[in-house]
mmCIF file of all heavy atoms in Angstrom:
data_model
loop_
_atom_site.group_PDB
_atom_site.id
_atom_site.type_symbol
_atom_site.label_atom_id
_atom_site.label_comp_id
_atom_site.label_asym_id
_atom_site.label_seq_id
_atom_site.Cartn_x
_atom_site.Cartn_y
_atom_site.Cartn_z
ATOM 1 N N ALA A 923 -116.928 -33.942 47.584
ATOM 2 C CA ALA A 923 -116.898 -32.768 46.572
ATOM 3 C C ALA A 923 -117.213 -33.104 45.189
ATOM 4 O O ALA A 923 -117.962 -32.589 44.454
ATOM 5 C CB ALA A 923 -115.562 -31.918 46.842
ATOM 6 N N THR A 924 -116.456 -34.075 44.769
ATOM 7 C CA THR A 924 -116.415 -34.574 43.342
ATOM 8 C C THR A 924 -117.848 -35.258 43.209
ATOM 9 O O THR A 924 -118.337 -35.289 41.994
ATOM 10 C CB THR A 924 -115.271 -35.430 42.939
ATOM 11 O OG1 THR A 924 -115.140 -36.521 43.885
ATOM 12 C CG2 THR A 924 -113.958 -34.661 42.959
ATOM 13 N N SER A 925 -118.352 -36.029 44.015
ATOM 14 C CA SER A 925 -119.601 -36.792 43.822
ATOM 15 C C SER A 925 -120.843 -35.967 43.928
ATOM 16 O O SER A 925 -121.782 -36.238 43.286
ATOM 17 C CB SER A 925 -119.703 -37.941 44.783
ATOM 18 O OG SER A 925 -119.889 -37.453 46.099
ATOM 19 N N THR A 926 -120.870 -34.843 44.616
ATOM 20 C CA THR A 926 -121.968 -34.007 44.863
ATOM 21 C C THR A 926 -121.912 -32.637 43.988
ATOM 22 O O THR A 926 -122.939 -31.929 43.688
ATOM 23 C CB THR A 926 -122.110 -33.514 46.277
ATOM 24 O OG1 THR A 926 -121.112 -32.712 46.719
ATOM 25 C CG2 THR A 926 -122.364 -34.776 47.238
ATOM 26 N N GLY A 927 -120.740 -32.301 43.604
ATOM 27 C CA GLY A 927 -120.421 -31.052 43.042
ATOM 28 C C GLY A 927 -120.443 -29.829 44.007
ATOM 29 O O GLY A 927 -120.370 -28.610 43.493
ATOM 30 N N VAL A 928 -120.672 -30.041 45.206
ATOM 31 C CA VAL A 928 -120.638 -28.875 46.174
ATOM 32 C C VAL A 928 -119.287 -28.884 46.749
ATOM 33 O O VAL A 928 -118.589 -29.784 47.225
ATOM 34 C CB VAL A 928 -121.678 -29.362 47.385
ATOM 35 C CG1 VAL A 928 -121.632 -28.343 48.464
ATOM 36 C CG2 VAL A 928 -123.071 -29.479 46.965
ATOM 37 N N PRO A 929 -118.748 -27.627 46.790
ATOM 38 C CA PRO A 929 -117.298 -27.453 47.223
ATOM 39 C C PRO A 929 -117.233 -27.974 48.720
ATOM 40 O O PRO A 929 -117.999 -27.538 49.552
ATOM 41 C CB PRO A 929 -117.067 -25.989 47.224
ATOM 42 C CG PRO A 929 -118.032 -25.406 46.176
ATOM 43 C CD PRO A 929 -119.317 -26.453 46.363
ATOM 44 N N VAL A 930 -116.240 -28.730 49.080
ATOM 45 C CA VAL A 930 -115.884 -29.158 50.448
ATOM 46 C C VAL A 930 -114.471 -28.595 50.594
ATOM 47 O O VAL A 930 -113.518 -29.255 49.962
ATOM 48 C CB VAL A 930 -115.993 -30.648 50.642
ATOM 49 C CG1 VAL A 930 -115.619 -31.126 51.959
ATOM 50 C CG2 VAL A 930 -117.448 -31.151 50.286
ATOM 51 N N VAL A 931 -114.203 -27.615 51.326
ATOM 52 C CA VAL A 931 -112.940 -27.188 51.620
ATOM 53 C C VAL A 931 -112.337 -27.844 52.754
ATOM 54 O O VAL A 931 -112.827 -27.875 53.912
ATOM 55 C CB VAL A 931 -112.969 -25.559 51.879
ATOM 56 C CG1 VAL A 931 -111.678 -25.086 52.164
ATOM 57 C CG2 VAL A 931 -113.670 -24.832 50.746
ATOM 58 N N PHE A 932 -111.079 -28.465 52.717
ATOM 59 C CA PHE A 932 -110.434 -29.291 53.573
ATOM 60 C C PHE A 932 -109.645 -28.503 54.475
ATOM 61 O O PHE A 932 -108.543 -28.042 54.098
ATOM 62 C CB PHE A 932 -109.795 -30.327 52.914
ATOM 63 C CG PHE A 932 -109.072 -31.542 53.737
ATOM 64 C CD1 PHE A 932 -109.996 -32.366 54.351
ATOM 65 C CD2 PHE A 932 -107.832 -31.495 54.109
ATOM 66 C CE1 PHE A 932 -109.406 -33.360 55.233
ATOM 67 C CE2 PHE A 932 -107.219 -32.458 54.999
ATOM 68 C CZ PHE A 932 -108.165 -33.333 55.563
ATOM 69 N N GLY A 933 -110.146 -28.224 55.775
ATOM 70 C CA GLY A 933 -109.313 -27.452 56.738
ATOM 71 C C GLY A 933 -108.882 -28.364 57.905
ATOM 72 O O GLY A 933 -108.963 -27.964 58.985
ATOM 73 N N VAL A 934 -108.577 -29.568 57.746
ATOM 74 C CA VAL A 934 -107.985 -30.505 58.698
ATOM 75 C C VAL A 934 -106.520 -30.262 58.910
ATOM 76 O O VAL A 934 -105.765 -30.600 57.934
ATOM 77 C CB VAL A 934 -108.513 -31.896 58.520
ATOM 78 C CG1 VAL A 934 -107.907 -32.826 59.571
ATOM 79 C CG2 VAL A 934 -109.965 -32.077 58.412
ATOM 80 N N LEU A 935 -106.050 -29.655 59.999
ATOM 81 C CA LEU A 935 -104.658 -29.599 60.216
ATOM 82 C C LEU A 935 -104.012 -30.976 60.408
ATOM 83 O O LEU A 935 -104.523 -31.805 61.124
ATOM 84 C CB LEU A 935 -104.424 -28.722 61.459
ATOM 85 C CG LEU A 935 -105.011 -27.335 61.387
ATOM 86 C CD1 LEU A 935 -104.655 -26.615 62.628
ATOM 87 C CD2 LEU A 935 -104.500 -26.426 60.230
ATOM 88 N N THR A 936 -102.925 -31.245 59.708
ATOM 89 C CA THR A 936 -102.077 -32.385 59.842
ATOM 90 C C THR A 936 -100.739 -31.904 60.269
ATOM 91 O O THR A 936 -99.868 -31.559 59.418
ATOM 92 C CB THR A 936 -102.046 -33.166 58.564
ATOM 93 O OG1 THR A 936 -101.710 -32.336 57.505
ATOM 94 C CG2 THR A 936 -103.494 -33.713 58.210
ATOM 95 N N THR A 937 -100.328 -32.037 61.553
ATOM 96 C CA THR A 937 -99.178 -31.587 62.040
ATOM 97 C C THR A 937 -98.405 -32.612 62.904
ATOM 98 O O THR A 937 -99.007 -33.619 63.242
ATOM 99 C CB THR A 937 -99.379 -30.338 62.936
ATOM 100 O OG1 THR A 937 -100.237 -30.786 64.053
ATOM 101 C CG2 THR A 937 -100.106 -29.228 62.240
ATOM 102 N N ASP A 938 -97.080 -32.410 63.043
ATOM 103 C CA ASP A 938 -96.425 -33.215 63.764
ATOM 104 C C ASP A 938 -96.476 -32.990 65.236
ATOM 105 O O ASP A 938 -96.340 -33.892 66.178
ATOM 106 C CB ASP A 938 -94.862 -33.144 63.410
ATOM 107 C CG ASP A 938 -94.557 -33.707 62.120
ATOM 108 O OD1 ASP A 938 -95.164 -34.724 61.596
ATOM 109 O OD2 ASP A 938 -93.743 -33.009 61.397
ATOM 110 N N THR A 939 -96.742 -31.750 65.755
ATOM 111 C CA THR A 939 -96.893 -31.446 67.144
ATOM 112 C C THR A 939 -98.072 -30.515 67.356
ATOM 113 O O THR A 939 -98.635 -29.911 66.548
ATOM 114 C CB THR A 939 -95.550 -30.592 67.602
ATOM 115 O OG1 THR A 939 -95.603 -29.301 66.922
ATOM 116 C CG2 THR A 939 -94.362 -31.406 67.303
ATOM 117 N N ILE A 940 -98.475 -30.572 68.614
ATOM 118 C CA ILE A 940 -99.592 -29.721 69.096
ATOM 119 C C ILE A 940 -99.247 -28.304 68.919
ATOM 120 O O ILE A 940 -100.069 -27.395 68.468
ATOM 121 C CB ILE A 940 -99.937 -30.030 70.641
ATOM 122 C CG1 ILE A 940 -101.260 -29.251 70.939
ATOM 123 C CG2 ILE A 940 -98.758 -29.720 71.660
ATOM 124 C CD1 ILE A 940 -102.479 -29.586 70.421
ATOM 125 N N GLU A 941 -98.007 -27.954 69.099
ATOM 126 C CA GLU A 941 -97.565 -26.496 68.847
ATOM 127 C C GLU A 941 -97.676 -26.027 67.505
ATOM 128 O O GLU A 941 -98.149 -24.866 67.259
ATOM 129 C CB GLU A 941 -95.987 -26.382 69.310
ATOM 130 C CG GLU A 941 -95.768 -26.583 70.861
ATOM 131 C CD GLU A 941 -95.672 -28.081 71.220
ATOM 132 O OE1 GLU A 941 -95.490 -28.892 70.424
ATOM 133 O OE2 GLU A 941 -95.741 -28.251 72.384
ATOM 134 N N GLN A 942 -97.452 -26.938 66.483
ATOM 135 C CA GLN A 942 -97.649 -26.586 65.124
ATOM 136 C C GLN A 942 -99.125 -26.314 64.943
ATOM 137 O O GLN A 942 -99.548 -25.365 64.088
ATOM 138 C CB GLN A 942 -97.064 -27.625 64.187
ATOM 139 C CG GLN A 942 -95.580 -27.639 64.198
ATOM 140 C CD GLN A 942 -95.180 -29.026 63.460
ATOM 141 O OE1 GLN A 942 -95.789 -29.903 63.171
ATOM 142 N NE2 GLN A 942 -93.976 -28.893 62.975
ATOM 143 N N ALA A 943 -99.986 -27.246 65.443
ATOM 144 C CA ALA A 943 -101.361 -27.009 65.320
ATOM 145 C C ALA A 943 -101.834 -25.661 65.885
ATOM 146 O O ALA A 943 -102.603 -24.933 65.264
ATOM 147 C CB ALA A 943 -102.096 -28.265 65.973
ATOM 148 N N VAL A 944 -101.505 -25.352 67.013
ATOM 149 C CA VAL A 944 -101.936 -24.118 67.669
ATOM 150 C C VAL A 944 -101.425 -23.031 66.810
ATOM 151 O O VAL A 944 -102.264 -21.940 66.684
ATOM 152 C CB VAL A 944 -101.335 -24.064 69.026
ATOM 153 C CG1 VAL A 944 -101.486 -22.789 69.758
ATOM 154 C CG2 VAL A 944 -102.061 -25.140 69.967
ATOM 155 N N GLU A 945 -100.201 -22.932 66.185
ATOM 156 C CA GLU A 945 -99.741 -21.853 65.429
ATOM 157 C C GLU A 945 -100.714 -21.695 64.165
ATOM 158 O O GLU A 945 -100.829 -20.480 63.745
ATOM 159 C CB GLU A 945 -98.356 -22.240 64.868
ATOM 160 C CG GLU A 945 -97.164 -22.035 65.911
ATOM 161 C CD GLU A 945 -95.912 -22.464 65.405
ATOM 162 O OE1 GLU A 945 -95.714 -22.813 64.142
ATOM 163 O OE2 GLU A 945 -94.892 -22.494 66.231
ATOM 164 N N ARG A 946 -101.249 -22.789 63.592
ATOM 165 C CA ARG A 946 -102.096 -22.690 62.499
ATOM 166 C C ARG A 946 -103.523 -22.428 62.842
ATOM 167 O O ARG A 946 -104.376 -22.106 61.994
ATOM 168 C CB ARG A 946 -101.891 -23.939 61.605
ATOM 169 C CG ARG A 946 -100.714 -24.062 60.973
ATOM 170 C CD ARG A 946 -100.243 -25.435 60.489
ATOM 171 N NE ARG A 946 -99.048 -25.567 59.897
ATOM 172 C CZ ARG A 946 -97.874 -25.594 60.508
ATOM 173 N NH1 ARG A 946 -97.783 -25.468 61.737
ATOM 174 N NH2 ARG A 946 -96.657 -25.612 59.891
ATOM 175 N N ALA A 947 -103.861 -22.363 64.199
ATOM 176 C CA ALA A 947 -105.169 -22.144 64.562
ATOM 177 C C ALA A 947 -105.436 -20.749 65.126
ATOM 178 O O ALA A 947 -106.314 -20.455 65.894
ATOM 179 C CB ALA A 947 -105.597 -23.254 65.580
ATOM 180 N N GLY A 948 -104.570 -19.741 64.644
ATOM 181 C CA GLY A 948 -104.818 -18.438 65.056
ATOM 182 C C GLY A 948 -103.627 -17.702 65.617
ATOM 183 O O GLY A 948 -103.870 -16.563 66.154
ATOM 184 N N THR A 949 -102.458 -18.343 65.751
ATOM 185 C CA THR A 949 -101.288 -17.593 66.267
ATOM 186 C C THR A 949 -100.295 -17.314 65.275
ATOM 187 O O THR A 949 -100.576 -16.507 64.340
ATOM 188 C CB THR A 949 -100.687 -18.275 67.470
ATOM 189 O OG1 THR A 949 -100.087 -19.561 66.991
ATOM 190 C CG2 THR A 949 -101.609 -18.638 68.589
ATOM 191 N N LYS A 950 -99.092 -17.804 65.179
ATOM 192 C CA LYS A 950 -97.996 -17.268 64.330
ATOM 193 C C LYS A 950 -98.414 -17.538 62.836
ATOM 194 O O LYS A 950 -98.047 -16.763 61.900
ATOM 195 C CB LYS A 950 -96.734 -18.085 64.610
ATOM 196 C CG LYS A 950 -96.141 -17.746 65.978
ATOM 197 C CD LYS A 950 -94.821 -18.584 66.086
ATOM 198 C CE LYS A 950 -94.388 -18.511 67.392
ATOM 199 N NZ LYS A 950 -93.118 -19.455 67.553
ATOM 200 N N ALA A 951 -98.976 -18.630 62.505
ATOM 201 C CA ALA A 951 -99.293 -19.024 61.115
ATOM 202 C C ALA A 951 -100.681 -18.626 60.617
ATOM 203 O O ALA A 951 -101.003 -19.152 59.631
ATOM 204 C CB ALA A 951 -98.949 -20.489 60.892
#
């Protein structure tokens, strides 16, 4: 993003468990 000036939106989930990841991929969170 900083080298090109093109916005790069960081949507990589970093979670402790698969359950937390699933919650952020369209369920509770």
